[in-house]
Amino acid sequence: MLASEPSDSPVALAAAPRITVIQNDRDVPMDRFAARLGAGVRLVLAFAGEPIPATDDVGDALVVLGGTMSAYSDEDAPWLPAVRDLLADAARSGVPTLGICLGGQLLAVAGGGSVQVSAPPGREAGAAAIAWRAAALDDPVTGPALASPSGPSPAAGADAVAVTRAVSMHADAIVELPGDATWLASSDMYPYQAFRWGSALGVQFHPEAGTELAARWAAQCGDVDAVAVVADIEEHAEAAAGFGDGLADAFVAAVRAGG
């Protein structure tokens, strides 16, 4: 299944790389990233029983999307072990990879880290303020994204070099990174919002989600004030979309540059 791409998109300026996108949940699609990743996307509907490819078959890059299951829900989502194995192999073999929310959690577990199911202090929902650490400036994806005009706001903490907004909607959380991972970002609620492990970038937030999709997620969650969450997302929609676009474009540029 190939994604369409507007002719004025930055990724249309050169031949689109071949990117495999794994969708784990019917309700967690590529959304805004469908127009950013380019026409070379191969969408694997894992939730519908489509097989998880081997590393040699993903093309130029790999993206693993989020989902409502946990990173350990192998009984309910029997394809997850194959996704974890694929993420580990891709990260170790140099395949440019992006794991989003559940995808980032699966990446952490694949690398020997851990995720806490229903973690305290509870669900992080809304337009989270993502505080980026100095290491993020040197990352091949987050560095260019933070350097874009629509990227960061001034830093708001001793350890932060930049702050961006991003849609967040998760109750599970990464509590331990892979031993050789680089910690890139945090939020007030949860420390591990972004990390680099090998050739893979994992993020806990949703750079791909637009306001309509985020509002649907909020309405489906009984543990949040959906009205307040949607208001927060709408208030920061422009900033979140700007950084999400920048992150997607930086990822595609890194893929084109060979990782």
Side-chain angles (χ1 to χ4, degrees), residues 220-243:
Q220 294 167 0
C221 293
D223 55 354
V224 300
D225 181 341
V227 173
V229 168
V230 171
D232 184 44
I233 290 171
E234 290 178 343
E235 178 182 354
H236 299 287
E238 183 176 355
F243 182 70

Side-chain angles (χ1 to χ4, degrees), residues 177-205:
L177 295 178
D180 52 348
T182 300
W183 182 17
L184 300 178
S186 63
S187 73
D188 287 342
M189 284 188 72
Y190 289 107
Y192 300 124
Q193 290 289 336
F195 67 97
R196 164 73 56 181
W197 180 52
S199 61
L201 172 66
V203 299
Q204 181 64 86
F205 51 87

Side-chain angles (χ1 to χ4, degrees), residues 7-32:
S7 59
D8 59 348
S9 169
V11 298
L13 299 178
R18 299 165 301 148
I19 301 175
T20 293
V21 177
I22 296 178
Q23 184 174 342
N24 292 294
D25 192 309
R26 186 182 305 276
D27 295 327
V28 189
M30 286 191 289
D31 202 31
R32 299 180 66 261

Side-chain angles (χ1 to χ4, degrees), residues 30 35 40 48 53 87 97 107 110 115 124 136 180 200 224-225 242:
M30 286 191 289
L87 282 165
T97 298
L107 176 65
V115 169
E124 186 172 44
D180 52 348
V224 300
D225 181 341

Side-chain angles (χ1 to χ4, degrees), residues 39-112:
V41 164
R42 170 196 179 191
L43 182 60
V44 176
L45 302 178
F47 67 89
E50 295 185 358
I52 304 302
T55 307
D56 291 344
D57 296 327
V58 300
D60 299 312
L62 172 67
V63 176
V64 178
L65 300 174
T68 53
M69 65 287 292
S70 86
Y72 305 111
S73 295
D74 297 359
E75 184 173 345
D76 296 328
W79 63 89
L80 290 185
V83 176
R84 291 195 299 268
D85 288 345
L86 174 60
L87 282 165
D89 193 38
R92 290 173 175 142
S93 61
V95 176
T97 298
L98 175 62
I100 297 174
C101 199
L102 172 64
Q105 294 170 1
L106 289 166
L107 176 65
V109 173

